[in-house]
Coordinates of all heavy atoms in Angstrom, one line a residue:
Chain A
S323 N 1.1 -14.7 36.6 CA 0.0 -14.6 35.5 C 0.0 -13.2 34.9 O -1.0 -12.6 34.7 CB -1.3 -14.9 36.1 OG -1.6 -13.9 37.2
E324 N 1.2 -12.7 34.5 CA 1.3 -11.5 33.8 C 0.6 -11.5 32.5 O 0.8 -12.4 31.7 CB 2.8 -11.2 33.5 CG 3.1 -9.8 33.0 CD 2.9 -8.7 34.1 OE1 3.3 -9.0 35.3 OE2 2.4 -7.6 33.8
P325 N -0.3 -10.6 32.3 CA -1.2 -10.7 31.1 C -0.6 -10.2 29.8 O 0.3 -9.4 29.8 CB -2.4 -9.9 31.5 CG -1.8 -8.8 32.4 CD -0.7 -9.4 33.1
G326 N -1.2 -10.7 28.8 CA -1.0 -10.2 27.4 C 0.2 -9.6 26.9 O 1.3 -10.2 27.0
L327 N 0.1 -8.3 26.5 CA 1.2 -7.6 25.9 C 2.4 -7.4 26.8 O 3.5 -7.5 26.4 CB 0.7 -6.2 25.4 CG 1.7 -5.3 24.7 CD1 2.3 -6.0 23.5 CD2 1.1 -4.0 24.3
R328 N 2.1 -7.2 28.1 CA 3.2 -7.0 29.0 C 4.1 -8.2 29.1 O 5.3 -8.2 29.1 CB 2.6 -6.7 30.4 CG 2.1 -5.3 30.6 CD 1.2 -5.1 31.8 NE 1.9 -5.4 33.0 CZ 2.6 -4.5 33.8 NH1 2.6 -3.3 33.4 NH2 3.2 -4.9 34.9
R329 N 3.4 -9.4 29.2 CA 4.2 -10.6 29.2 C 5.1 -10.8 28.0 O 6.2 -11.2 28.0 CB 3.3 -11.8 29.4 CG 3.9 -13.2 29.2 CD 3.0 -14.3 29.5 NE 2.8 -14.6 30.9 CZ 3.6 -15.3 31.6 NH1 4.7 -15.9 31.1 NH2 3.4 -15.5 32.9
R330 N 4.4 -10.6 26.8 CA 5.1 -10.8 25.5 C 6.3 -9.8 25.4 O 7.3 -10.1 24.9 CB 4.1 -10.6 24.4 CG 3.4 -11.9 24.1 CD 2.4 -11.8 23.0 NE 1.2 -11.0 23.5 CZ 0.3 -10.4 22.7 NH1 0.5 -10.4 21.4 NH2 -0.7 -9.8 23.2
I331 N 6.1 -8.6 25.9 CA 7.2 -7.7 25.9 C 8.4 -8.1 26.8 O 9.5 -8.2 26.4 CB 6.8 -6.2 26.3 CG1 5.9 -5.6 25.2 CG2 7.9 -5.3 26.6 CD1 5.2 -4.3 25.6
L332 N 8.0 -8.6 28.0 CA 9.0 -9.0 29.0 C 9.8 -10.2 28.4 O 11.0 -10.3 28.6 CB 8.3 -9.4 30.3 CG 7.9 -8.3 31.2 CD1 7.1 -8.9 32.4 CD2 9.1 -7.6 31.7
E333 N 9.1 -11.1 27.7 CA 9.7 -12.2 27.1 C 10.7 -11.9 26.1 O 11.7 -12.6 25.8 CB 8.7 -13.2 26.6 CG 7.9 -13.9 27.7 CD 6.7 -14.7 27.1 OE1 6.3 -14.5 25.9 OE2 6.2 -15.5 27.8
R334 N 10.5 -10.8 25.4 CA 11.3 -10.4 24.3 C 12.4 -9.4 24.5 O 13.3 -9.1 23.7 CB 10.5 -10.0 23.1 CG 9.8 -11.1 22.4 CD 8.5 -10.8 21.7 NE 7.9 -12.0 21.2 CZ 7.1 -12.8 21.9 NH1 6.8 -12.5 23.1 NH2 6.5 -13.8 21.3
V335 N 12.4 -8.8 25.7 CA 13.5 -7.9 26.1 C 14.8 -8.7 26.3 O 14.8 -9.7 26.9 CB 13.1 -7.2 27.4 CG1 14.3 -6.6 28.1 CG2 12.1 -6.1 27.2
N336 N 15.8 -8.2 25.7 CA 17.1 -9.0 25.8 C 18.3 -8.1 25.9 O 19.4 -8.5 25.7 CB 17.2 -10.0 24.6 CG 17.4 -9.3 23.3 OD1 17.3 -8.0 23.2 ND2 17.8 -10.0 22.3
G337 N 18.1 -6.8 26.1 CA 19.3 -5.9 26.2 C 19.7 -5.4 24.9 O 20.5 -4.4 24.8
R338 N 19.3 -6.0 23.8 CA 19.7 -5.5 22.4 C 18.5 -4.8 21.7 O 18.8 -4.1 20.8 CB 20.1 -6.7 21.6 CG 21.3 -7.4 22.0 CD 21.5 -8.7 21.2 NE 21.6 -8.4 19.7 CZ 22.6 -8.1 19.0 NH1 23.8 -7.9 19.7 NH2 22.6 -7.9 17.8
R339 N 17.3 -5.0 22.2 CA 16.2 -4.6 21.4 C 15.6 -3.3 22.0 O 15.5 -3.1 23.2 CB 15.1 -5.6 21.4 CG 15.4 -6.9 20.7 CD 14.3 -7.9 20.7 NE 14.7 -9.1 19.9 CZ 14.5 -10.3 20.3 NH1 13.9 -10.5 21.5 NH2 14.9 -11.3 19.6
S340 N 15.2 -2.4 21.1 CA 14.5 -1.2 21.4 C 13.0 -1.4 21.4 O 12.6 -2.5 21.0 CB 14.9 -0.1 20.5 OG 14.4 -0.4 19.2
C341 N 12.2 -0.4 21.9 CA 10.8 -0.6 21.8 C 10.3 -0.8 20.3 O 9.4 -1.6 20.0 CB 10.1 0.7 22.3 SG 10.4 1.0 24.0
R342 N 11.0 -0.1 19.4 CA 10.7 -0.3 18.0 C 10.9 -1.7 17.5 O 10.1 -2.3 16.8 CB 11.5 0.7 17.2 CG 11.4 0.7 15.7 CD 12.6 0.1 15.1 NE 12.4 -0.2 13.7 CZ 12.7 -1.3 13.1 NH1 13.2 -2.3 13.9 NH2 12.5 -1.5 11.9
D343 N 12.0 -2.3 18.0 CA 12.4 -3.7 17.5 C 11.3 -4.6 18.1 O 10.9 -5.6 17.4 CB 13.7 -4.1 18.1 CG 14.9 -3.2 17.5 OD1 14.7 -2.6 16.4 OD2 15.9 -3.1 18.1
I344 N 10.9 -4.4 19.3 CA 9.9 -5.3 19.9 C 8.5 -5.1 19.2 O 7.8 -6.1 19.0 CB 9.8 -5.0 21.4 CG1 11.1 -5.4 22.1 CG2 8.6 -5.8 22.1 CD1 11.2 -5.0 23.6
A345 N 8.2 -3.9 18.9 CA 7.0 -3.7 18.1 C 6.9 -4.4 16.8 O 5.9 -5.0 16.5 CB 6.8 -2.2 17.9
F346 N 8.1 -4.4 16.1 CA 8.1 -5.2 14.9 C 8.1 -6.7 15.1 O 7.5 -7.4 14.3 CB 9.4 -4.8 14.1 CG 9.2 -3.7 13.2 CD1 9.4 -2.4 13.6 CD2 8.9 -3.8 11.8 CE1 9.2 -1.3 12.8 CE2 8.7 -2.8 11.0 CZ 8.9 -1.5 11.5
L347 N 8.7 -7.2 16.2 CA 8.7 -8.6 16.5 C 7.3 -9.0 16.8 O 6.8 -10.1 16.4 CB 9.6 -8.8 17.7 CG 11.0 -9.4 17.5 CD1 11.6 -9.7 18.8 CD2 10.9 -10.7 16.7
L348 N 6.5 -8.2 17.6 CA 5.2 -8.6 18.0 C 4.1 -8.3 17.0 O 3.0 -8.8 17.1 CB 4.9 -7.9 19.3 CG 5.7 -8.3 20.5 CD1 5.3 -7.4 21.7 CD2 5.5 -9.8 20.9
G349 N 4.5 -7.4 16.1 CA 3.4 -6.9 15.1 C 2.4 -6.0 15.9 O 1.2 -6.1 15.6
R350 N 2.9 -5.2 16.8 CA 2.1 -4.3 17.5 C 2.5 -2.9 17.3 O 3.6 -2.6 16.8 CB 2.1 -4.6 19.0 CG 1.6 -5.9 19.4 CD 0.1 -6.1 19.2 NE -0.7 -5.1 19.9 CZ -1.3 -5.4 21.1 NH1 -1.2 -6.6 21.6 NH2 -2.0 -4.5 21.7
G351 N 1.7 -1.9 17.6 CA 2.0 -0.5 17.3 C 3.2 0.0 18.2 O 3.3 -0.5 19.3
L352 N 3.9 0.9 17.6 CA 5.1 1.4 18.3 C 4.6 2.2 19.6 O 5.2 2.0 20.7 CB 5.8 2.4 17.4 CG 7.0 3.1 18.1 CD1 8.1 2.1 18.3 CD2 7.5 4.3 17.2
Y353 N 3.6 2.9 19.5 CA 3.1 3.7 20.7 C 2.7 2.8 21.8 O 3.0 3.0 23.0 CB 2.0 4.7 20.3 CG 1.4 5.5 21.4 CD1 2.2 6.4 22.0 CD2 0.2 5.2 21.9 CE1 1.7 7.2 23.1 CE2 -0.4 6.0 23.0 CZ 0.4 6.9 23.5 OH -0.1 7.6 24.6
A354 N 1.9 1.8 21.4 CA 1.4 0.8 22.5 C 2.6 0.1 23.2 O 2.6 0.0 24.4 CB 0.5 -0.2 21.8
V355 N 3.5 -0.3 22.4 CA 4.7 -1.0 23.0 C 5.5 -0.1 23.9 O 5.9 -0.4 25.0 CB 5.5 -1.7 21.9 CG1 6.9 -2.2 22.5 CG2 4.8 -2.8 21.2
T356 N 5.7 1.2 23.3 CA 6.6 2.1 24.1 C 5.9 2.5 25.4 O 6.6 2.6 26.4 CB 6.7 3.4 23.2 OG1 7.3 3.0 22.0 CG2 7.7 4.4 23.9
M357 N 4.6 2.7 25.4 CA 3.9 3.0 26.7 C 4.0 1.9 27.6 O 4.1 2.0 28.9 CB 2.5 3.5 26.4 CG 2.4 4.8 25.6 SD 3.1 6.2 26.5 CE 1.8 6.6 27.6
E358 N 3.8 0.6 27.1 CA 3.9 -0.5 28.0 C 5.3 -0.6 28.6 O 5.5 -0.9 29.8 CB 3.5 -1.8 27.3 CG 2.0 -2.0 27.0 CD 1.2 -2.3 28.3 OE1 1.8 -2.4 29.4 OE2 0.0 -2.3 28.2
V359 N 6.3 -0.4 27.8 CA 7.7 -0.5 28.3 C 7.9 0.6 29.3 O 8.5 0.3 30.4 CB 8.7 -0.4 27.1 CG1 10.1 -0.1 27.6 CG2 8.7 -1.6 26.3
A360 N 7.4 1.8 29.1 CA 7.5 2.9 30.1 C 6.9 2.5 31.4 O 7.4 2.7 32.5 CB 6.9 4.2 29.5
G361 N 5.7 1.8 31.3 CA 5.1 1.3 32.5 C 5.9 0.3 33.2 O 6.0 0.3 34.5
L362 N 6.5 -0.7 32.5 CA 7.3 -1.7 33.1 C 8.6 -1.1 33.7 O 9.0 -1.6 34.7 CB 7.7 -2.8 32.0 CG 6.5 -3.6 31.5 CD1 6.8 -4.3 30.2 CD2 6.0 -4.6 32.6
L363 N 9.1 -0.1 33.1 CA 10.3 0.6 33.7 C 9.9 1.3 35.0 O 10.6 1.2 36.0 CB 10.8 1.6 32.7 CG 11.6 1.1 31.5 CD1 11.7 2.2 30.4 CD2 13.0 0.6 31.9
G364 N 8.7 1.9 35.0 CA 8.2 2.5 36.2 C 8.0 1.6 37.3 O 8.2 1.9 38.5
E365 N 7.6 0.3 37.0 CA 7.3 -0.7 38.0 C 8.6 -1.4 38.3 O 8.6 -2.4 39.1 CB 6.3 -1.7 37.5 CG 4.9 -1.0 37.3 CD 3.9 -2.0 36.6 OE1 4.0 -3.2 36.9 OE2 3.1 -1.5 35.8
E366 N 9.7 -1.1 37.7 CA 11.0 -1.7 37.9 C 11.1 -3.1 37.5 O 11.9 -3.9 38.1 CB 11.5 -1.4 39.3 CG 11.6 0.1 39.6 CD 12.2 0.3 41.0 OE1 12.3 -0.6 41.8 OE2 12.5 1.5 41.3
L367 N 10.2 -3.5 36.6 CA 10.3 -4.9 36.0 C 11.4 -4.9 34.9 O 12.0 -5.9 34.6 CB 9.0 -5.3 35.5 CG 7.9 -5.5 36.5 CD1 6.5 -5.8 35.8 CD2 8.2 -6.7 37.4
L368 N 11.6 -3.7 34.4 CA 12.7 -3.5 33.4 C 13.6 -2.4 33.9 O 13.2 -1.5 34.6 CB 12.1 -3.1 32.0 CG 11.2 -4.1 31.3 CD1 10.7 -3.5 30.0 CD2 11.9 -5.4 31.0
A369 N 14.8 -2.4 33.4 CA 15.7 -1.3 33.6 C 16.4 -0.9 32.3 O 16.5 -1.8 31.4 CB 16.8 -1.7 34.6
L370 N 16.7 0.3 32.2 CA 17.3 0.8 30.9 C 18.8 0.2 30.8 O 19.5 0.3 31.8 CB 17.4 2.3 30.8 CG 16.0 3.0 30.6 CD1 16.2 4.5 30.6 CD2 15.4 2.5 29.3
S371 N 19.0 -0.4 29.7 CA 20.4 -0.7 29.4 C 21.1 0.5 29.0 O 20.5 1.6 28.9 CB 20.4 -1.8 28.3 OG 21.7 -2.2 28.0
S372 N 22.4 0.4 28.6 CA 23.1 1.6 28.2 C 22.4 2.2 26.9 O 22.0 1.5 26.0 CB 24.5 1.3 27.8 OG 24.6 0.4 26.8
R373 N 22.2 3.5 26.9 CA 21.5 4.2 25.8 C 22.5 4.3 24.6 O 23.6 4.7 24.8 CB 21.0 5.5 26.2 CG 20.4 6.3 25.1 CD 19.9 7.6 25.6 NE 18.6 7.5 26.2 CZ 17.7 8.5 26.1 NH1 17.9 9.6 25.5 NH2 16.5 8.3 26.7
A374 N 22.0 3.9 23.5 CA 22.8 4.1 22.3 C 22.9 5.6 22.0 O 22.0 6.4 22.3 CB 22.0 3.5 21.1
A375 N 24.1 6.0 21.5 CA 24.3 7.4 21.2 C 23.4 7.7 20.0 O 23.3 7.0 19.1 CB 25.7 7.6 20.7
V376 N 22.6 8.8 20.2 CA 21.7 9.2 19.2 C 22.5 9.7 18.0 O 23.3 10.6 18.1 CB 20.8 10.4 19.7 CG1 19.8 10.8 18.6 CG2 20.0 9.9 20.9
P377 N 22.3 9.0 16.9 CA 23.1 9.4 15.7 C 22.8 10.8 15.3 O 21.7 11.2 15.1 CB 22.6 8.4 14.6 CG 21.9 7.3 15.3 CD 21.4 7.9 16.6
A378 N 23.9 11.5 15.1 CA 23.7 12.9 14.6 C 23.4 12.9 13.1 O 23.7 11.9 12.4 CB 25.0 13.7 14.9
P379 N 22.9 14.0 12.6 CA 22.6 14.0 11.2 C 23.8 13.7 10.3 O 23.7 13.0 9.4 CB 22.1 15.5 11.0 CG 21.6 15.9 12.3 CD 22.4 15.2 13.3
Q380 N 24.9 14.3 10.7 CA 26.2 14.0 10.0 C 27.2 13.7 11.1 O 27.6 14.6 11.8 CB 26.6 15.1 9.2 CG 25.7 15.4 8.0 CD 26.2 16.5 7.1 OE1 26.8 17.5 7.7 NE2 25.9 16.5 5.9

Side-chain angles (χ1 to χ4, degrees):
Chain A
S323 56
E324 190 71 38
L327 181 58
R328 286 165 59 91
R329 166 177 283 275
R330 278 177 282 160
I331 289 173
L332 282 174
E333 288 171 346
R334 284 156 183 84
V335 161
N336 69 351
R338 292 173 57 85
R339 294 182 179 135
S340 63
C341 297
R342 178 250 171 233
D343 297 337
I344 294 172
F346 271 85
L347 259 183
L348 295 175
R350 296 296 298 261
L352 176 71
Y353 178 69
V355 170
T356 303
M357 291 300 276
E358 285 291 355
V359 167
L362 292 166
L363 286 165
E365 294 171 37
E366 298 183 352
L367 294 172
L368 296 178
L370 290 179
S371 180
S372 61
R373 174 178 280 212
V376 179
Q380 291 179 331

